[in-house]
Amino acid sequence: MSEYILEMKDICKSFPGVKALDHVSLQLKPGHVHSLMGENGAGKSTLMKCLFGIYKKDEGQIIYDGEEVTISDPFDALQKGIAMVHQELMPIRDRSIAENIYCGRYPVKKIGPIKVIDHEKMNSDAQALLDDLGLGFKATEKLGTLTASQMQLVEIAKAVSADAKIIILDEPTSSLTLKEVDKLFEIIRRLTAKGCGVIYISHKMDEILQISDEVTIMRDGQYIGTWPSDELTTEFIIAKEVGRELKDLYPPKINTPGETIFEVKDFDSVLDNSFKDCSFSVRKGEIFGVAGLVGAQRTELMEAIYGLRGITSGTVYYNGQTLKIKNPEDAINNGIALITEDRRGNGIFGVLSISDNVAVASLNDYLLFRVMLDHKKIGEVVDKSIQELSIKTPSAKTQIKNLSGGNQQKVIISRWLAKEPEVLIMDEPTRGIDVGAKYEIYSIIGRLASEGKTIIVVSSEMPELIGICDRIMVMCEGRITGIVEGEDMNQEKIMELSTKFMG
Amino acid sequence: MSEKVSKEKKFDIVQFLVNNALIILIVSSAIFVGLQNPRFFSMANIKNLLANTSVRMVIALGISGVLIMRNNDLSAGRQVGLAGCICATLLQRADYASKVYPNLTPPNMWLVCILVMIGFALTFGVINGLVVTKLHVPAFIGTYGMQTIVYGIALIFTGAQPIGGLINEYTEWASGSFLGIQLIPNLAIITAIVMLVMWFLYNHTPYGKKMYAIGGNPDAAEVSGINTTRMTIVSYMIAAALFALAGFMLAAKAGGTSSNLANGYELFAIAGCTIGGVSVNGGTGKVSGILMGVLVFEILKIEMTFLGIDTAWTYIVQGIVIVVAIALDIRKYIAKK
Ligand SMILES: Nc1ncnc2c1ncn2[C@@H]1O[C@H](COP(=O)(O)OP(=O)(O)OP(=O)(O)O)[C@@H](O)[C@H]1O
Ligand SMILES: [Mg+2]
């Protein structure tokens, strides 16, 4: 027997207009964590989907457990002992956690000649699994009662319960808190101790260096190489991913904040356990960061300002004038835009083209004779966005759901750039985005601010906020615990404020 | 290697057949029936087909906007029926014995048509829209309620009596041909105009783009500043106006009406839309596709009459066609792996 549990050799896969995989190889040893890295659209998810039977590979071999196999569909993959946690979650919110874990392979019992689902066994098994993994959820609870990051943990529990020999984790930590990431790593270590092989996809360097044994890097659908992780440095990975030297992670500052222009006063949520007494003000041309741990209610506050959530009190002022914002339409008409955190949920229009996805918020800016859309002008705007943000796509007519996660995010950013808002709120703008594209997005943020736009960036990545912001506001459990600038903009100070009310 | 190439070629043929299944089905069956009975290709028959299709197409277009936004309108058929009854009542000959309103002299028929369209949009359209958006009643149920309400109104309005004796101008217009061209009924001109307007609306205006956006992802639409409530209400208003127009056309074409006019037409309209690529999950659908969908039904119905198939059987065949046509056509829209 070979030393590998899985070998993928010379895998090729094309979609109309794109060669997503071009002779890519990957070798996984049992008990190892093998990380897969590469820019957005490099083909990481596609390679894994070929392994999991979602896509059919055009060419190449998959050798699993010493034998060449063909995997026809995900069910087949699970039967063979391959489990996958997807980049885009597919939770069934209205069913219990236990049902989500055992979906499609419910335990059954016999009542006479009829097979029925054994709910008791399912619930107790699920509970045992959750307890074993140290996740404090009740198995009978509806999945929808959990937060996004908790759902992700359930999804991971589901993969573990499949008793697989290979587990694929496609960007599992994109919405996890630091504590939850530790939990996940603990789970991974237990799996590998049992001899299970883990394929791990992430854009977060520190995680990769911490957890993996080997790292394979891809670029534009091509295999670049595989290295043991203790030989790697962040700089080396970035250079291989991007294909060139990337000197700094953050562009030089070019904006100079002016007078205070955007004010938020006394925001109180209709919900008891959400934000309370929130007031802050931002200057013209300022990049204003909002830090805090997941659950600090930053998203909720921003969405309330934008008219998406109910408030019992709260006023927004721009240039000294009170803005009446009842819904997003009002906010947009007053020059405020929000890039939401939940890309799939309320960001993209999956079945629509990139062009429609970019133009949707600014349709009234492209009118001919006041009624008719100027398709030529829209086309120009869209082409410009594709170029400026280097969105990887065969054409502007491609459905957005066919783009890689990071490229979808860039399309949404283009949507709001096209609208040219005065105040742009960005909630986790670089989630799931590769280093090169992050740099591009930071540059855009800097450019907008230098043009006198007001930018608010919500992020869970402290280094990112410190790297680009003029000031950072910190929240904890729904309240603003402080605003730091200058010398005080450091991890320790921010961490201290983020946990102010925690035991 | 060469084996592979031939495989790909074969695949393309299958692909072609699948993509054009409907057209192939229509054309081949028409040729078959035409060979059996040459009168199938006569002027009169084709004109008849176009006239039938015209009315159904207006209804399908009305409902399409609602469907694309992931809603539904089960009151379509009954709205068409009531509109037909109202138009017929207003346009009865002054000397007709059992006139519903004996003292009324028939006004201009186009004025009637436009007033009924506006009236329907402002009542049934607005109410349907409000029930779905403000009261959060699922569209399927909310418009089912409207269906029975509208039927009740039609019964009261007509006293459950058939209405005949329409003014000549009205019925002659409906049976007449455009500029004397035998093949093209006047009704088809109205439908062509409606199609053009809807095509323009769907493809070249913000309304259309917003409609597809709401169908594609309602939450994202809201975040993008689209007023989904207003859009939904407007979609029901446009639908109601088109149902009224269809009623106006249908009553004239039939030369008289009863409260049962157009009963159940909504399901044919929905099926036609679906065959034509309007996704039940919202966000897709084109005017040309809808025309194909509606045509399939109408051609098939006429073919069966020509073949002398028993009415009971035509229902069975129609049912099969709905399922088979959608199963065939939906393949075009299913993502390929
Ligand atoms: N179903 C599909 N149809 C067409 N093109 C696709 C499809 N799925 C993926 N692609 C294309 O294949 C390429 C690789 O995409 P993939 O999702 O594998 O990237 P990725 O490395 O996972 O990126 P990310 O880090 O952004 O998740 C992209 O160019 C994408 O547009
Ligand atoms: Mg991916």
Side-chain angles (χ1 to χ4, degrees):
Chain A
M1 251 194 78
S2 83
E3 59 174 320
Y4 301 110
I5 183 162
L6 173 79
E7 288 182 83
M8 299 180 81
K9 285 187 183 162
D10 288 323
I11 306 286
C12 296
K13 173 75 190 172
S14 295
F15 295 108
V18 239
K19 182 132 199 181
L21 297 175
D22 186 5
H23 298 278
V24 178
S25 300
L26 181 111
Q27 293 164 320
L28 175 67
K29 290 180 190 162
H32 275 216
V33 178
H34 194 124
S35 292
L36 199 51
M37 298 199 73
E39 297 186 287
N40 301 124
K44 306 176 295 289
S45 298
T46 305
L47 183 67
M48 290 305 107
K49 285 178 183 169
C50 286
L51 174 59
F52 196 57
I54 295 175
Y55 294 150
K56 292 200 170 53
K57 59 183 187 325
D58 298 338
E59 277 175 54
Q61 276 183 311
I62 298 178
I63 297 164
Y64 173 62
D65 229 355
E67 275 173 53
E68 182 168 358
V69 290
T70 36
I71 295 160
S72 50
D73 53 44
F75 185 74
D76 189 23
L78 281 169
Q79 295 276 307
K80 290 191 162 77
I82 303 172
M84 177 162 177
V85 176
H86 293 271
Q87 185 172 11
E88 262 90 38
L89 294 181
M90 303 156 200
I92 310 169
R93 287 165 189 275
D94 287 327
R95 306 308 306 178
S96 71
I97 294 175
E99 276 178 72
N100 268 279
I101 291 177
Y102 287 103
C103 181
R105 50 195 174 96
Y106 304 104
V108 288
K109 64 180 174 196
K110 276 196 159 179
I111 298 184
I114 320 168
K115 274 191 190 163
V116 296
I117 291 178
D118 189 345
H119 282 100
E120 266 160 43
K121 182 168 156 48
M122 180 170 77
N123 289 337
S124 62
D125 282 2
Q127 194 61 55
L129 174 75
L130 293 171
D131 293 346
D132 185 40
L133 295 176
L135 307 174
F137 314 138
K138 256 190 92 188
T140 47
E141 202 80 7
K142 264 192 196 168
L143 187 73
T145 59
L146 302 183
T147 65
S149 62
Q150 290 171 328
M151 283 188 214
Q152 197 134 22
L153 288 174
V154 169
E155 198 68 23
I156 290 159
K158 180 177 173 180
V160 172
S161 78
D163 227 354
K165 288 190 197 152
I166 298 178
I167 293 188
I168 306 163
L169 300 170
D170 194 351
E171 300 202 31
T173 57
S174 56
S175 64
L176 295 191
T177 63
L178 287 176
K179 254 200 198 138
E180 287 166 331
V181 172
D182 286 340
K183 183 105 257 160
L184 171 69
F185 282 6
E186 199 189 306
I187 297 173
I188 291 180
R189 289 201 187 92
R190 278 173 46 182
L191 290 168
T192 49
K194 283 196 303 183
C196 177
V198 175
I199 302 177
Y200 190 87
I201 301 179
S202 172
H203 289 289
K204 298 184 181 165
M205 299 292 167
D206 45 338
E207 285 178 7
I208 296 283
L209 294 174
Q210 192 188 340
I211 194 77
S212 40
D213 298 297
E214 290 94 28
V215 177
T216 289
I217 298 177
M218 296 173 62
R219 189 194 319 139
D220 285 334
Q222 288 180 334
Y223 174 80
I224 302 298
T226 303
W227 295 267
S229 81
D230 39 20
E231 286 175 17
L232 288 174
T233 60
T234 307
E235 291 72 34
F236 182 82
I237 298 177
I238 294 175
K240 289 293 170 197
E241 269 192 19
V242 185
R244 65 189 147 84
E245 206 75 29
L246 198 69
K247 285 209 187 63
D248 300 297
L249 288 179
Y250 306 103
K253 266 204 163 319
I254 50 169
N255 63 314
T256 32
E259 298 289 301
T260 292
I261 191 152
F262 183 70
E263 283 176 87
V264 171
K265 271 226 169 72
D266 304 324
F267 261 68
D268 275 335
S269 167
V270 285
L271 300 175
D272 289 337
N273 51 3
S274 193
F275 55 87
K276 216 172 164 46
D277 296 333
C278 288
S279 302
F280 62 91
S281 52
V282 189
R283 292 170 291 173
K284 192 173 164 65
E286 177 172 4
I287 304 174
F288 186 76
V290 182
L293 302 177
V294 176
Q297 308 296 321
R298 297 164 299 170
T299 295
E300 288 74 5
L301 176 61
M302 294 305 141
E303 292 187 352
I305 294 171
Y306 190 62
L308 268 174
R309 281 171 195 262
I311 48 173
T312 51
S313 80
T315 333
V316 179
Y317 302 92
Y318 186 77
N319 223 349
Q321 292 196 311
T322 314
L323 305 184
K324 276 214 182 69
I325 300 175
K326 286 217 192 63
N327 53 36
E329 193 186 17
D330 294 341
I332 293 168
N333 289 337
N334 281 305
I336 302 174
L338 170 72
I339 297 178
T340 54
E341 155 190 59
D342 183 3
R343 183 168 59 222
R344 220 167 105 96
N346 56 18
I348 64 166
F349 300 94
V351 292
L352 301 189
S353 68
I354 292 173
S355 166
D356 286 345
N357 268 281
V358 171
V360 68
S362 48
L363 290 167
N364 290 339
D365 301 345
Y366 318 112
L367 290 185
L368 286 175
F369 317 114
R370 319 190 75 203
V371 289
M372 189 176 156
L373 288 172
D374 184 348
H375 291 299
K376 201 168 140 236
K377 198 164 154 204
I378 294 178
E380 283 164 11
V381 171
V382 173
D383 287 342
K384 200 174 125 224
S385 317
I386 291 179
Q387 230 167 36
E388 265 183 11
L389 276 74
S390 38
I391 297 171
K392 270 192 204 125
T393 171
S395 90
K397 291 213 168 61
T398 308
Q399 286 184 338
I400 194 171
K401 66 176 182 196
N402 289 338
L403 295 194
S404 74
N407 282 302
Q408 293 179 352
Q409 180 73 351
K410 293 188 198 171
V411 172
I412 294 180
I413 293 178
S414 318
R415 174 188 304 164
W416 293 112
L417 294 187
K419 187 68 198 168
E420 301 183 343
E422 288 307 315
V423 180
L424 177 60
I425 308 173
M426 306 168 105
D427 197 353
E428 304 286 358
T430 60
R431 172 174 293 170
I433 291 217
D434 68 59
V435 268
K438 271 186 187 158
Y439 190 90
E440 288 162 34
I441 289 171
Y442 300 146
S443 307
I444 292 166
I445 291 175
R447 197 190 73 212
L448 289 172
S450 75
E451 287 166 5
K453 312 281 189 209
T454 303
I455 315 284
I456 300 176
V457 183
V458 179
S459 174
S460 303
E461 311 256 328
M462 263 184 265
E464 160 176 297
L465 290 179
I466 295 168
I468 62 168
C469 293
D470 297 304
R471 290 186 300 153
I472 299 174
M473 172 172 96
V474 188
M475 289 181 69
C476 174
E477 302 200 334
R479 266 164 292 175
I480 295 171
T481 49
I483 293 183
V484 291
E485 60 184 315
E487 290 283 283
D488 284 342
M489 273 204 333
N490 57 55
Q491 300 234 15
E492 292 72 38
K493 183 78 192 162
I494 295 174
M495 210 50 210
E496 184 193 315
L497 291 169
S498 307
T499 50
K500 196 168 173 184
F501 303 125
M502 291 176 182
Chain B
M1 200 61 219
S2 66
E3 195 187 81
K4 204 163 176 201
V5 172
S6 71
K7 235 186 201 162
E8 264 166 28
K9 249 188 193 158
K10 197 173 146 207
F11 184 65
D12 275 349
I13 292 170
V14 173
Q15 206 53 34
F16 177 82
L17 289 178
V18 166
N19 284 343
N20 299 290
L22 279 186
I23 300 182
I24 295 167
L25 182 86
I26 294 176
V27 172
S28 56
S29 65
I31 293 174
F32 174 75
V33 178
L35 289 177
Q36 305 274 321
N37 185 344
R39 268 200 310 122
F40 183 73
F41 287 116
S42 69
M43 287 285 218
N45 189 39
I46 290 175
K47 185 179 163 196
N48 179 27
L49 169 73
L50 285 179
N52 287 346
T53 309
S54 296
V55 178
R56 301 291 186 138
M57 185 64 191
V58 171
I59 304 172
L61 283 172
I63 217 164
S64 67
V66 175
L67 290 177
I68 290 171
M69 286 195 224
R70 299 192 183 190
N71 287 315
N72 214 321
D73 194 346
L74 293 186
S75 64
R78 293 300 188 189
Q79 285 194 49
V80 174
L82 177 63
C85 292
I86 294 175
C87 293
T89 321
L90 296 177
L91 297 172
Q92 276 183 314
R93 282 199 303 271
D95 56 356
Y96 188 63
S98 52
K99 201 161 154 35
V100 182
Y101 299 109
N103 297 326
L104 182 98
T105 34
N108 178 295
M109 62 183 249
W110 294 112
L111 186 70
V112 169
C113 172
I114 286 166
L115 286 180
V116 174
M117 284 175 73
I118 294 171
F120 269 54
L122 291 179
T123 51
F124 303 122
V126 170
I127 294 172
N128 271 337
L130 288 176
V131 167
V132 171
T133 54
K134 295 286 182 194
L135 303 184
H136 303 284
V137 180
F140 203 75
I141 299 301
T143 58
Y144 174 63
M146 181 57 87
Q147 179 192 81
T148 66
I149 292 171
V150 174
Y151 180 50
I153 297 175
L155 280 175
I156 296 169
F157 184 78
T158 60
Q161 297 299 315
I163 305 164
L166 307 183
I167 58 172
N168 291 339
E169 187 197 359
Y170 185 35
T171 50
E172 276 165 16
W173 167 78
S175 57
S177 293
F178 180 65
L179 297 177
I181 305 168
Q182 271 310 306
L183 212 54
I184 304 173
N186 279 329
L187 293 175
I189 298 303
I190 298 283
T191 304
I193 294 170
V194 174
M195 278 172 64
L196 204 69
V197 171
M198 297 309 273
W199 171 81
F200 183 81
L201 190 68
Y202 285 5
N203 295 292
H204 293 281
T205 66
Y207 175 86
K209 293 282 174 195
K210 288 178 185 173
M211 172 183 82
Y212 288 114
I214 292 174
N217 184 345
D219 293 335
E222 196 190 347
V223 172
S224 305
I226 296 173
N227 190 326
T228 46
T229 305
R230 192 168 58 212
M231 285 287 296
T232 307
I233 294 172
V234 172
S235 75
Y236 276 107
M237 290 175 69
I238 294 175
L242 290 183
F243 300 152
L245 175 63
F248 171 83
M249 293 161 75
L250 194 59
K253 181 169 162 283
T257 72
S258 78
S259 52
N260 244 338
L261 185 75
N263 179 20
Y265 278 24
E266 59 273 350
L267 291 179
F268 282 103
I270 294 168
C273 286
T274 313
I275 292 179
V278 177
S279 162
V280 278
N281 297 321
T284 59
K286 291 199 296 192
V287 171
S288 57
I290 297 166
L291 179 63
M292 281 308 294
V294 173
L295 262 178
V296 172
F297 274 117
E298 292 309 316
I299 293 184
L300 211 90
K301 259 192 284 178
I302 294 194
E303 283 174 355
M304 286 192 287
T305 353
F306 266 80
L307 292 177
I309 294 174
D310 181 62
T311 2
W313 278 100
T314 62
Y315 281 106
I316 294 176
V317 173
Q318 266 182 34
I320 294 172
V321 165
I322 293 181
V323 177
V324 171
I326 291 179
L328 266 179
D329 213 53
I330 214 119
R331 291 171 159 265
K332 264 194 286 196
Y333 307 100
I334 293 175
K336 286 172 204 91
K337 287 177 181 175

